[in-house]
Amino acid sequence: MPARERAASGPRRILLVLLLALACAAVLLIALPEDDREGDAACRPRTVTASAAENGTTDEFARYGDDMTRTDDWTGGDGTHSVRLPDGRVLWLFSDTFLGQIHAPPNPAGQPHTWRDTNTPMVRNSAVVMSRSGTLERTLAAPLFPDPAPQQWRWPVAARVEPRTPGSDERVVRVLLWNRMASQGPWIYGVPVATEVATLSLPDLRVEGITKVSDQQSVGDPEKRVLYGTTTVDDGDWTYVFGGTDAQATARPASDAYVARAPHGSLGDGSTWEYWDGEEWGHDVTPRAVLGDGKRKGVGSAFTVVRDEGTYVLFTMAAGTEGLTTVASYWSCSPTGPWHGPAKAFEATLPKDSAARQDTAAYNPQAHPALTEDGDGSGGSRVVLSYDVNWLNATPANAQANVTRNVSLYRPRFVSLRLAAAR
């Protein structure tokens, strides 16, 4: 080979290798589903850099719950979710809720706790309205969502304000509901039955109707039934709806997370829902988990997801016994994953009383975009989360007796988190 050709062969080889590499990358990008690609310039690993108690909102729920002037309003509940309404108010949704009268301390056991009577009514769901200024004003008639059948009930989860129909100027509130049925054994909090969507009119918040979007009764093994709606995230033309199994009701230390999606304005139309099957979206597909290995990786029965710029961040109670107090986080560039983690997000603060602290647990971390400055969860690095607290006891009646003796236990606590790119 002439000397000049030998001299040129090196750069040519390098150019050829680069061209081949670029071609292979293009083929890989084409082969990957659009929603499963990583590498978005705005997507970066996220970590929690700081956490602090959000005392203002925590104290507001304590004030409202301790108000002794009414007997038909909220005094405590769990399953805390929220949505900002177009007029600036915030609608708060709860699962099992105590109504009734509150009594000043000491309680019948002589302890310095505000308390309620043991026969205080409890309903399966409730809704509380907060003013634009952040003051809790009233409890809607409870339960807001009636039981679908004997021995069944509805727990409200995530809620969104969206067009009544795609493209419509009229707005409504969609509330996702978990339909559960009473059972025994490990299913002391009910067997999953179906995911439903309720439509509430604006501004009066009247329940117009409830539609079933995902019926799980044909799934014989309750552990494999998926309930959707623990959290939702808007991205582009879609609302992504996350859900999970109830594996924690059995011997597994963590549940699996799933994701579905619906076009904006179509949450109440189950025919428009698509499910992720591990490779693509489809209506008539077998959903596949996007997170969970049954061991160290996975979610609690309720978890939350937010977007920080181009990154999805998931918060859940940690797997195993750590999950009694520790909130963990995962991040991903897509709702379908892969999800990276877990990393410790923060340690939930439990009651100061030593006896109560040993017998209580935190659960159900939920993000509240309505409490952040941007109000929609689409940007910024500040996230406000709530978590619920309950008494640890395998017998619900015993747990109820303890949270009755101290009403401050069964109420949400709020914490403010700061997110930043992981180094």
Side-chain angles (χ1 to χ4, degrees), residues 189-351:
Y189 299 110
V191 171
V193 175
T195 301
E196 301 172 318
V197 177
T199 298
L200 278 61
S201 59
L202 286 169
D204 58 344
L205 301 174
R206 176 176 57 86
V207 179
E208 295 183 347
I210 297 175
T211 303
K212 187 178 294 184
V213 296
S214 175
D215 192 339
Q216 295 291 291
Q217 294 183 85
S218 62
V219 180
D221 185 354
E223 188 175 327
K224 295 180 179 179
R225 296 182 178 183
V226 181
L227 294 182
Y228 290 91
T230 181
T231 185
T232 64
V233 179
D234 281 346
D235 189 358
D237 296 329
W238 298 92
T239 297
Y240 291 90
V241 186
F242 291 85
T245 57
D246 260 4
Q248 286 191 314
T250 60
R252 297 180 66 189
S255 299
D256 295 334
Y258 291 75
V259 65
R261 69 180 187 181
H264 293 324
S266 300
L267 273 178
D269 182 359
S271 67
T272 68
W273 280 47
E274 296 181 351
Y275 302 86
W276 181 252
D277 71 355
E279 295 182 356
E280 61 183 359
W281 296 96
H283 180 72
D284 295 317
V285 299
T286 300
R288 182 177 175 182
V290 297
L291 172 61
D293 61 5
K295 299 176 183 177
R296 179 172 173 267
K297 290 180 177 288
V299 296
S301 58
F303 58 94
T304 194
V305 178
V306 299
R307 285 192 73 204
D308 186 33
E309 296 181 353
T311 306
Y312 289 82
V313 185
L314 183 153
F315 296 97
T316 183
M317 302 310 298
T321 56
E322 282 186 277
L324 299 177
T325 58
T326 302
V327 176
S329 67
Y330 295 81
W331 68 270
S332 174
C333 292
S334 163
T336 61
W339 290 92
H340 307 276
K344 182 177 178 179
F346 69 95
E347 195 81 10
T349 301
L350 293 176

Side-chain angles (χ1 to χ4, degrees), residues 52-73:
E54 191 79 6
N55 291 324
T57 310
T58 302
D59 292 345
E60 176 59 15
F61 273 97
R63 180 203 66 80
Y64 185 75
D66 286 346
D67 187 342
M68 302 179 189
T69 60
R70 295 181 56 181
T71 60
D72 62 346
D73 62 352

